[in-house]
Amino acid sequence: MADMFSCCMSAQELEERNRSKQIDKMLSKEKSLHRRQVKILLLGSGESGKSTFLKQMRIIHGHEFDDEQITEFRTTIYTNVIKGTMVLCDAREKLAIPWQNPENDKNFRFLLKYNNNMLLDPTVFADFALVVSHLWPDGGIREAYERRNEFQLGDSIKYFLDELERIAKPNYVPTKQDILHARKATKGVAEYVINIKGIPFRFVDVGGQRSQRQKWFQCFESVTSILFLVASSEFDQVLLEDRVTNRLVESRNIFETIVNNKCFTNVSVILFLNKQDLLESKVERVSIADYFTEFQGDPHNLRDVQVFIRNMFDLARRERNKALFHYFTTAVDTENIKFVFQAVKDTILQDNLKALMLQ
């Protein structure tokens, strides 16, 4: 019967019908794919490690960065070096720390020639790298660096300054470790899809600064899981935005808002207490009890500090029937993130399966 009907149709009508069937098939496939898709929202305050985690997902799952992206990372690294050194020089002056070598004041003045519109290629950067190589070993700059919790300085600056000789070479190409340390504030929403065992994982990275948080709400639809990142080493630092609020307190307040939001009743919220490498080194010399008077235990014992920070966030949850999934992470450590994500992935896939069964 269908063949008889096809015979009565013109070639054009037949072509249109076949095209319509193909479109329906594609839409059906797209719908099935969308239903199986895992949407993971990366949330947390500024500089908590969300973008670094997303870079790790690419590296771990073999998604290489192209030449254009690598060149962009190189420029970001050059900028991190110059701006970071400028911040250290400015802090030295404001903290009234004298130069070890007074000649370095000239080097600082040269650094002030930098502006955001400057095209930073290897040749231009070489001139800045030369003066930075004199500034970084100066005792005055080192003393300012030791007091870095008193001003706003990126975590990666020491890594790059210690690697300056390599970075300043004319043929420099950033390594994966360099790319993980490269710091550029996320503006707006960045999405990346990675296919894991036939299931598309859509990672959504949203800027963490206060000015960016109003954009979070537009990403809340169809979320499978939220990975909430905390820079656990920042217990002695204040926000860039107001220079008053303790960064760990700010993170805890945001977490409280997210974890108790009715939109996420059926969404797993997984806590990443990040920057454990920095926390470990900081605990040796800084007492968390000076910033959190309620702390009980040994302020120089890493485990005591970890338990205190975890409990800070755990107590923010009103729903006490579910366990808090939490992990101590170092986002720049690929092996650590690979291990943690393996465990997290199982939780996320179970949640996704439950959601599909309810549809």
Side-chain angles (χ1 to χ4, degrees):
M1 188 76 180
D3 290 339
M4 285 176 61
F5 183 68
S6 297
C7 290
C8 299
M9 296 174 71
S10 67
Q12 186 180 350
E13 286 172 328
L14 197 59
E15 189 183 337
E16 284 175 1
R17 192 180 75 157
N18 288 337
R19 192 184 296 127
S20 178
K21 278 183 179 178
Q22 284 178 336
I23 291 170
D24 287 343
K25 196 175 178 181
M26 283 169 62
L27 286 172
S28 178
K29 188 179 178 182
E30 190 72 30
K31 191 176 179 182
S32 173
L33 200 65
H34 184 75
R35 282 177 74 241
R36 289 191 300 116
Q37 176 182 269
V38 169
K39 183 178 177 182
I40 301 173
L41 206 52
L42 303 176
L43 297 181
S45 58
E47 298 184 60
S48 57
K50 299 182 297 298
S51 299
T52 307
F53 178 84
L54 189 53
K55 290 177 200 171
Q56 286 284 26
M57 289 297 97
R58 290 190 57 149
I59 290 167
I60 289 165
H61 295 98
H63 290 227
E64 297 292 332
F65 298 100
D66 61 34
D67 291 345
E68 188 179 337
Q69 289 169 322
I70 289 171
T71 301
E72 195 177 324
F73 281 124
R74 185 185 67 187
T75 304
T76 299
I77 291 162
Y78 288 166
T79 306
N80 289 168
V81 169
I82 295 168
K83 286 188 173 180
T85 309
M86 288 171 77
V87 168
L88 283 167
C89 291
D90 185 56
R92 180 210 62 82
E93 198 168 348
K94 285 176 179 169
L95 295 169
I97 300 169
W99 289 111
Q100 180 185 21
N101 177 6
E103 286 294 307
N104 271 327
D105 198 57
K106 291 178 186 174
N107 288 320
F108 175 43
R109 301 299 157 204
F110 181 85
L111 213 55
L112 293 175
K113 292 180 181 179
Y114 171 78
N115 67 74
N116 289 329
N117 298 320
M118 199 171 274
L119 181 66
L120 274 180
D121 60 20
T123 306
V124 173
F125 179 71
D127 293 334
F128 287 105
L130 183 62
V131 300
V132 169
S133 70
H134 293 297
L135 289 165
W136 177 228
D138 189 281
I141 294 297
R142 293 294 178 139
E143 188 178 336
Y145 178 77
E146 289 304 315
R147 294 174 62 180
R148 59 194 176 277
N149 69 305
E150 298 176 44
F151 54 96
Q152 304 292 330
L153 184 71
D155 292 327
S156 62
I157 184 64
K158 185 180 186 300
Y159 170 85
F160 288 131
L161 290 176
D162 287 347
E163 295 287 328
L164 185 63
E165 187 179 347
R166 176 175 62 85
I167 292 168
K169 286 180 178 175
N171 60 347
Y172 167 65
V173 176
T175 63
K176 284 174 182 172
Q177 203 56 35
D178 295 343
I179 287 169
L180 289 169
H181 280 86
R183 171 69 188 143
K184 188 177 182 180
T186 303
K187 297 282 168 60
V189 180
E191 294 192 18
Y192 196 76
V193 179
I194 296 173
N195 200 290
I196 303 173
K197 291 184 178 177
I199 296 171
F201 277 63
R202 181 178 295 277
F203 293 92
V204 183
D205 174 21
V206 198
Q209 281 78 16
R210 283 180 173 178
S211 60
Q212 297 293 311
R213 287 179 209 155
Q214 70 270 20
K215 296 169 187 171
W216 288 12
F217 299 99
Q218 69 196 47
C219 306
F220 284 178
E221 192 180 348
S222 306
V223 173
T224 310
S225 288
I226 292 173
L227 301 187
F228 192 95
L229 283 86
V230 176
S232 54
S233 60
E234 295 182 344
F235 64 78
D236 64 338
Q237 293 169 253
V238 294
L239 284 185
L240 173 66
E241 292 93 327
D242 69 6
R243 315 288 172 117
V244 175
T245 308
N246 181 284
R247 289 192 181 193
L248 200 56
V249 170
E250 175 84 349
S251 286
R252 192 254 183 208
N253 291 342
I254 303 167
F255 179 75
E256 184 175 21
T257 303
I258 295 298
V259 80
N260 296 314
N261 191 313
K262 288 179 181 177
C263 296
F264 305 131
T265 305
N266 298 314
V267 171
S268 58
V269 180
I270 301 167
L271 181 67
F272 279 11
L273 295 167
N274 195 33
K275 303 194 178 182
Q276 288 297 304
D277 55 334
L278 301 178
L279 179 66
E280 187 174 357
S281 62
K282 184 173 283 188
V283 160
E284 291 175 4
R285 56 189 173 79
V286 183
S287 171
I288 193 171
D290 292 341
Y291 301 89
F292 293 86
T293 53
E294 66 272 32
F295 176 83
Q296 293 180 335
D298 180 356
H300 301 295
N301 179 285
L302 177 63
R303 185 60 188 156
D304 284 0
V305 174
Q306 285 176 326
V307 169
F308 172 76
I309 295 173
R310 182 202 64 199
N311 289 344
M312 258 182 79
F313 286 83
D314 189 20
L315 291 170
R317 301 182 309 129
R318 295 192 202 110
E319 173 56 69
R320 307 307 300 173
N321 293 326
K322 289 194 289 185
L324 172 66
F325 290 105
H326 69 280
Y327 297 89
F328 297 104
T329 60
T330 299
V332 292
D333 182 340
T334 303
E335 287 307 309
N336 172 255
I337 296 301
K338 188 187 289 184
F339 174 79
V340 168
F341 187 69
Q342 188 62 41
V344 166
K345 184 175 66 179
D346 293 340
T347 303
I348 291 168
L349 288 173
Q350 282 173 14
D351 286 351
N352 193 46
L353 186 62
K354 285 177 193 171
L356 285 172
M357 288 170 72
L358 290 170
Q359 285 180 10

